[in-house]
Amino acid sequence: MSGFFTRTNRDMKYIFKSSSKLNKKQLKRKKRGISSLIGILLVIVELIISILFTYEIIKLNIFPLKYLAMFIIVIILLLLYNFTSQFTKSRGIGKFLSILVSMLLVFGYLVGSKVNWTLQGITSNITKTDSIHLVVLKEDTASSIADTLNYTYGYNSQHDGDLPVKAIDKINQENNSSLNVKTYENWEQITNALYENNDIQLIAINSNIYKTLLEEDEDFGSKTRILDTITITTKVAIEKGEVKQKDDCFIMYISGNDDYGTISDTGRSDVNILAVINPETRQVMLISTPRDYYINISRPDSSGKIITGLDKLTHAGNAGTKYSMEALSNLFGVDVDYFFKVNFDGCVNIIDALGGITVFSDVDFINGTDAAPERYHFVKGANECDGAKALAFVREREAFAAGDLQRGKNQQAAISAMIEKATSPAILTNYSAILDAVSDMMYTNMPTESIQQLIKDQLSDATPWNVQSYSLTFMPEVNYIKPLHVYGGTGWACLPDYDSVNMAIKLIQKTQNDEIFNVDEVIQEIENLENSDNTSVTN
């Protein structure tokens, strides 16, 4: 080898000499010298790229130590071979390998950077965009905000916080106006002021509350129309959850809100699932709670005072994700560690990026147009779904006698299918589209370190997860119309079946206690035990 080094060193002395002054042998040595120099330069570029790639992979922190060590050893060995080959007759092979390795490392560096960027994006502070609808009577002749500058605006100071105030201030600034404004403390007062008394001619209302009013008050939808919408953009600080130990069981609240577009922290939650995840046993327990469960929820009023009372679970999300988490924590008597929130656009984009999913339906049905613009036929059993079809599957409830209960089961089936696809090797072929899909359509308070640990565990142990699911039921009632103490008025709600709540608590505890089980078998076992106890008491 030392002879090759010496010869190459002599060859390089001819690189900068004029070819016209060299003989045939010297020209050949000059050509060898140039070839070796190019090879060495390629290896230097490879070294720089290797350092950048290694730094990015270490920062990513998702690969088990054995894989990381293997990457580094292979990179070093390739560098050494490609460098030393430039002093041998294998310099051509070394150049080819150097170029090939550099290209692969650049690709790996870009992938690592994108994963790091995405992880930071879904776990960092988010930009929240709130929409304030300007609502007038249907027969009102106004066609723009300019036509309403002499109107009296009204808003609910107790339920909408300061968002209507911000919207009104924005209108005043943009139109150099000073609007007349009246405040009210409940929706009955404000709608009467618009419908009957003519005390106000326009209501400024948060879009989330607007949807609730449409759902609970048929007159509101038939008597009014949206004149315009003002958007208010603010930064929301995500309070990070606690970093758990490697194999610690944790509970995540999965929330799906009924919005499209950029994800927001506020808004009604149509999907309310607690995922109890035990990394040690690879057991996942999904507990689905109906959106209209009539339970205690909370919200802050305009002064920051917390108002608590019986209302629909879905309304808790209007004040923010943490209030939905709090409501479910109180219902089950557990600490919910993290949340994961996704909106309807996010659902479609993620499933399409995964290449579709296979959902298993308990029933044969065709979704209505409320669930999706297109009507799909779902058979009992396996159904191949792209994003749009999967969204129809998880949104439909009118087609079922069990209504929201069946929808909860469908949501669990879709989540199970997504977990199965996301933990399979197939995810590698669509990594870029998946990262693009999750970056703007979801967010979580789960620390980046915890997400990295989960990915690392999955790479080191490909044992399938045992995903089980259970849906809470509600009591049959003659009258489902209940007073909504937190957001006002009345609305359709369902009383919890506390037998099913207690069953869910037992399933959560079994998962936390490192038990591996099948839900149906556990339920049957508990029912048999209770029946046996009842028989003993009777005898």
Side-chain angles (χ1 to χ4, degrees):
M1 179 65 73
S2 60
F4 282 107
F5 277 110
T6 302
R7 189 182 70 177
T8 302
N9 184 47
R10 290 173 180 172
D11 290 343
M12 287 186 176
K13 292 180 179 178
Y14 291 94
I15 290 176
F16 299 105
K17 291 185 178 182
S18 174
S19 298
S20 61
K21 296 180 180 181
L22 302 177
N23 58 37
K24 188 174 181 181
K25 184 177 180 180
Q26 291 171 330
L27 285 171
K28 185 176 181 181
R29 297 186 73 173
K30 178 178 180 177
K31 185 177 179 181
R32 281 204 312 260
I34 292 172
S35 176
S36 295
L37 179 61
I38 292 172
I40 291 171
L41 291 174
L42 286 173
V43 172
I44 291 173
V45 172
E46 180 187 348
L47 173 62
I48 294 170
I49 295 172
S50 297
I51 293 171
L52 291 173
F53 169 79
T54 303
Y55 169 76
E56 198 66 38
I57 291 300
I58 291 174
K59 186 173 75 171
L60 186 56
N61 193 28
I62 64 172
F63 292 102
L65 184 59
K66 60 181 179 181
Y67 294 146
L68 188 61
M70 183 176 66
F71 286 152
I72 294 173
I73 290 170
V74 169
I75 288 171
I76 291 173
L77 290 176
L78 285 170
L79 272 168
L80 289 173
Y81 174 80
N82 293 337
F83 176 73
T84 56
S85 69
Q86 300 313 305
F87 304 97
T88 70
K89 293 180 180 180
S90 301
R91 64 174 64 89
I93 296 174
K95 289 186 183 69
F96 172 77
L97 281 177
S98 185
I99 293 171
L100 178 63
V101 170
S102 294
M103 291 173 63
L104 290 174
L105 291 178
V106 167
F107 175 76
Y109 172 78
L110 293 175
V111 172
S113 298
K114 192 165 188 176
V115 172
N116 268 319
W117 176 80
T118 301
L119 286 176
Q120 293 300 321
I122 65 174
T123 60
S124 62
N125 296 345
I126 67 165
T127 299
K128 181 183 74 165
T129 301
D130 289 293
S131 298
I132 306 300
H133 294 323
L134 304 180
V135 177
V136 296
L137 291 173
K138 189 156 285 187
E139 64 270 16
D140 194 299
T141 58
S143 60
S144 67
I145 292 176
D147 296 331
T148 68
L149 298 181
N150 63 341
Y151 282 14
T152 298
Y153 281 45
Y155 71 91
N156 190 325
S157 61
Q158 295 300 308
H159 292 174
D160 260 345
D162 62 351
L163 287 174
V165 177
K166 291 180 178 180
I168 291 169
D169 287 345
K170 189 173 182 179
I171 294 171
N172 282 331
Q173 290 173 8
E174 293 177 354
N175 294 275
N176 193 27
S177 58
S178 181
L179 294 169
N180 295 317
V181 179
K182 287 188 176 182
T183 61
Y184 298 85
E185 295 186 353
N186 62 62
W187 293 113
E188 185 178 1
Q189 290 177 358
I190 199 169
T191 52
N192 284 340
L194 179 68
Y195 299 158
E196 301 173 9
N197 304 330
N198 200 34
D199 288 339
I200 58 174
Q201 292 78 49
L202 183 148
I203 299 175
I205 179 174
N206 187 330
S207 61
N208 295 321
I209 305 297
Y210 177 80
K211 293 173 186 174
T212 300
L213 280 183
L214 287 181
E215 189 177 271
E216 311 298 352
D217 184 352
E218 293 181 2
D219 287 343
F220 189 71
S222 62
K223 291 182 178 181
T224 65
R225 62 183 176 89
I226 298 174
L227 174 70
D228 207 334
T229 300
I230 305 294
T231 57
I232 307 294
T233 301
T234 53
K235 281 282 188 181
V236 176
I238 299 176
E239 186 176 339
K240 296 288 180 64
E242 178 186 348
V243 177
K244 294 283 188 177
Q245 294 299 313
K246 181 176 180 292
D247 293 322
D248 282 354
C249 186
F250 62 90
I251 300 177
M252 174 173 281
Y253 167 53
I254 300 174
S255 171
N257 72 342
D258 58 356
D259 284 330
Y260 293 88
T262 306
I263 190 74
S264 176
D265 185 59
T266 57
R268 298 182 307 173
S269 183
D270 277 2
V271 178
N272 297 281
I273 293 175
L274 286 190
V276 189
I277 301 172
N278 191 323
E280 175 71 20
T281 61
R282 317 288 278 188
Q283 176 93 12
V284 178
M285 186 67 241
L286 302 177
I287 308 290
S288 177
T289 306
R291 69 187 292 276
D292 294 321
Y293 241 36
Y294 193 56
I295 59 176
N296 280 312
I297 68 169
S298 300
R299 70 168 176 84
D301 66 10
S302 55
S303 66
K305 178 184 175 182
I306 300 298
I307 297 172
T308 301
L310 289 169
D311 208 308
K312 293 162 56 159
L313 171 61
T314 186
H315 289 170
N318 284 331
T321 309
K322 73 174 186 177
Y323 291 96
S324 296
M325 286 177 64
E326 180 185 277
L328 291 172
S329 292
N330 293 335
L331 178 64
F332 296 109
V334 297
D335 292 327
V336 180
D337 301 291
Y338 311 119
F339 69 77
F340 174 87
K341 188 166 187 178
V342 61
N343 63 6
F344 285 161
D345 275 355
C347 176
V348 172
N349 294 341
I350 293 166
I351 291 171
D352 283 340
L354 286 169
I357 58 175
T358 303
V359 297
F360 288 85
S361 177
D362 294 337
V363 294
D364 186 293
F365 70 96
I366 298 174
N367 67 277
T369 52
D370 284 345
E374 185 174 348
R375 304 192 73 179
Y376 300 97
H377 180 204
F378 296 92
V379 300
K380 185 175 181 179
N383 295 267
E384 298 297 325
C385 297
D386 60 8
K389 187 174 180 179
L391 181 59
F393 181 73
V394 300
R395 288 198 70 194
E396 180 57 44
R397 63 172 174 167
E398 300 298 333
F400 313 122
D404 206 41
L405 297 180
Q406 183 60 47
R407 178 162 72 165
K409 292 179 180 179
N410 289 353
Q411 291 165 355
Q412 291 171 334
I415 290 173
S416 297
M418 291 173 71
I419 291 173
E420 182 178 352
K421 195 68 174 283
T423 54
S424 71
I427 194 174
L428 297 176
T429 61
N430 296 324
Y431 80 93
S432 183
I434 293 168
L435 294 177
D436 288 337
V438 304
S439 59
D440 292 325
M441 298 302 173
M442 66 174 61
Y443 75 105
T444 179
N445 71 334
M446 190 175 193
T448 304
E449 304 95 299
S450 297
I451 298 175
Q452 290 168 330
Q453 186 61 55
L454 274 178
I455 298 173
K456 189 183 293 185
D457 290 345
Q458 184 61 34
L459 289 174
S460 62
D461 181 3
T463 303
W465 291 80
N466 179 31
V467 182
Q468 299 291 310
S469 52
Y470 179 74
S471 296
L472 269 63
T473 56
F474 52 84
M475 301 299 291
E477 290 285 319
V478 175
N479 182 12
Y480 286 95
I481 304 301
K482 307 294 180 186
L484 306 176
H485 297 292
V486 176
Y487 280 94
T490 59
W492 198 99
C494 52
L495 295 179
D497 175 0
Y498 281 99
D499 284 342
S500 71
V501 174
N502 290 331
M503 178 65 74
I505 292 171
K506 291 175 183 177
L507 296 172
I508 291 171
Q509 291 172 343
K510 289 176 78 69
T511 306
Q512 292 174 324
N513 292 335
D514 296 339
E515 296 185 44
I516 301 173
F517 58 89
N518 176 282
V519 164
D520 293 336
E521 292 175 359
V522 170
I523 292 173
Q524 188 61 55
E525 180 182 328
I526 292 174
E527 288 179 350
N528 290 341
L529 183 61
E530 290 175 348
N531 290 335
S532 174
D533 290 342
N534 290 335
T535 302
S536 299
V537 171
T538 303
N539 292 336

